[in-house]
Amino acid sequence: MPTERTLSIIKPDATRRNLTGKVNAVLEAAGLRIVAQKRLHLTTAQAEAFYAVHAARPFYRDLVTFMTSGPVVAQVLEGDNAVQRNRDVMGATNPAQAAEGTIRKLFAENIEANSVHGSDSAENAAAEIAFFFAGTDIVG
Ligand code: CMP
């Protein structure tokens, strides 16, 4: 399995409930290494740009409002098969459908306030990592 990097975001519903450490513990227990991490408060323009792929979806404006409602923690995760590994440990987008032990099953409030984001492909991971981090910010 290739060593990969993926972009993770701990969302405002989780930072609001002081769950950053608990989310990180689940990520690390799943074999993912946090090789870059920063806490920031997204601007509306940043959230719109990050989720531009969803611009036509009915939930887009609510998603942008939610993602700017409090701090997020952007992270680069590294590990074998990191993109899929992170998606597995996050669980389904809708926490009602998420498997036991996944981050969204453990912590998410609903399909929007679902605690974490993770890149869905290696190609998108590279673009999403570059959205938040310079190469020199990432220490493997
Ligand atoms: P995320 O993996 O960050 O990708 C898009 C986000 O849109 C998703 O997680 C949810 O936070 C949010 N969202 C809100 N409603 C929906 C929906 N009906 N389907 C998919 N994503 C949704």
Side-chain angles (χ1 to χ4, degrees):
M1 274 186 291
T3 296
E4 285 181 338
R5 287 176 175 171
T6 191
L7 191 278
S8 166
I9 303 175
I10 303 177
K11 296 186 179 185
D13 66 286
T15 62
R16 188 176 294 123
R17 287 174 289 148
N18 215 18
L19 293 172
T20 299
K22 287 188 173 165
V23 171
N24 282 351
V26 178
L27 294 171
E28 291 181 340
L32 293 161
R33 185 172 294 274
I34 301 163
V35 294
Q37 177 168 262
K38 68 179 168 188
R39 182 173 167 107
L40 69 161
H41 197 136
L42 292 174
T43 64
T44 296
Q46 283 175 314
E48 287 174 347
F50 185 80
Y51 280 118
V53 66
H54 294 306
R57 306 285 287 275
F59 56 81
Y60 179 66
R61 287 271 39 113
D62 280 352
L63 175 61
V64 169
T65 298
F66 164 62
M67 289 299 290
T68 57
S69 67
V72 301
V73 178
Q75 340 176 270
V76 180
L77 308 178
E78 185 178 87
D80 289 344
N81 225 11
V83 172
Q84 188 58 49
R85 189 179 286 245
N86 184 43
R87 293 185 70 74
D88 289 347
V89 77
M90 285 195 302
T93 304
N94 186 346
Q97 286 149 20
E100 290 297 331
T102 61
I103 292 168
R104 285 167 169 163
K105 179 70 174 184
L106 286 166
F107 303 123
E109 295 181 324
N110 54 58
I111 194 170
E112 177 179 84
N114 63 357
S115 297
V116 281
H117 166 83
S119 307
D120 64 4
S121 67
E123 187 185 1
N124 284 341
E128 292 183 356
I129 289 169
F131 187 91
F132 286 104
F133 296 99
T136 49
D137 294 331
I138 303 169
V139 182

